[in-house]
């Protein structure tokens, strides 16, 4: 028997109503798509990136509360940014960064130090500066490449991918009751992927459509949906979530 008072499952409260989400790297790709998704779920967004013009366009797109243009790998800039936030925030998603490819033995020391260190140190600096500004139960969320078997030219990417889950699990102990989590992504169809693959991007998409069990390419909206789930499910902390459509072909 059906009751007239049964709730319609499509009629639900937005999941992030009244919350504020900071996206560091929010002017493109996964960050921008997540900003759109959290806005649709009722949150305000604060966006950052390095280039002012794409950031301005992204801010218009999602009606951002505010923006800030700075290099996230500059620890002084991270400190200034969080110190300048006017209100407590609920979640921080860090998508800033790009993979550094090249043979380990042929990469100069300074470049290797950046390739191996930037993403790990960025996570620590964000945690250090954000933790007192995030409401208990909120999450610091980071992203990395999923762990893949060794191939020549991806040594630093795969080393950092192996280290990040341990770093985030340890950080989560220190940031509690603020949560810390990691998304480990396979190929995601974003402007970054297009710029890295150039003329090969269509071939890559076709290969993934043909080989992934899901029969389609994973897009930024898929990652955005996972990010919102991690923000709203307060049981999740210290964890790494793989999203790749079961990618078995490198
Ligand atoms: N796409 C994939 O297949 C894939 C797979 C695994 C992991 N990931 C990781 O996911 C993240 C997002 O990737 P995406 O594909 O969405 O890239 P994207 O489209 O290039 O977007 C990256 C965003 O981060 C900003 N950004 C980059 N470096 C920054 C820095 N040093 N300081 C501040 N902002 C910075 C960019 O703006 P500005 O350039 O203006 O700074 C942009 O807003 C990256 O860390 C990437 O390595 C991507």
């Amino acid at each position: 028997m059906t009751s007239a008072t049964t709730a319609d499952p499509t009629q639900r409260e937005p999941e992030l109503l009244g919350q504020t989400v900071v996206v560091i790297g929010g002017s493109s790709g996964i960050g921008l798509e997540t900003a759109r998704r959290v806005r649709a779920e009722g949150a305000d967004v604060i966006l950052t990136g390095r280039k002012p013009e794409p950031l301005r366009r992204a801010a218009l797109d999602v009606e951002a509360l505010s923006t800030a243009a700075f290099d996230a790998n500059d620890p002084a800039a991270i400190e200034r940014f969080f110190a300048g936030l006017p209100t407590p925030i609920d979640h921080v998603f860090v998508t800033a960064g790009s993979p550094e490819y090249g043979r380990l033995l042929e990469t100069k020391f300074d470049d290797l130090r950046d390739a191996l260190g930037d993403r790990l140190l960025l996570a620590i600096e964000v945690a250090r500066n954000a933790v007192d500004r995030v409401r208990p139960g909120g999450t610091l969320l980071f992203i990395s490449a999923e762990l893949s078997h060794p191939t020549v030219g991806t040594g630093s990417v795969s080393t950092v991918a192996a280290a990040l889950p341990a770093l985030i699990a340890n950080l989560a102990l220190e940031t509690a009751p603020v949560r810390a989590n990691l998304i480990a992504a396979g190929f995601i169809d974003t402007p970054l992927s297009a710029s890295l693959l150039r003329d090969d991007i269509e071939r890559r998409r076709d290969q993934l459509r043909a080989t992934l069990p899901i029969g389609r390419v994973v897009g930024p909206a898929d990652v955005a949906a996972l990010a919102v789930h991690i923000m709203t499910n307060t049981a999740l902390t210290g964890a790494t979530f793989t999203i790749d459509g079961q990618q078995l072909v490198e």
Side-chain angles (χ1 to χ4, degrees), residues 25 27-30 50-51 71-72 95 97 119 185-186 188 190 192-193:
S27 59
S28 173
I30 294 163
R50 287 167 303 182
K51 299 185 213 90
D71 186 339
T95 64
R119 211 175 275 263
I188 311 296
T190 68
L192 174 66
S193 301

Side-chain angles (χ1 to χ4, degrees), residues 14 98-99 170 195 200 204 223:
S98 52
N170 280 282
S195 73
D200 284 336
R204 184 66 167 139
V223 185

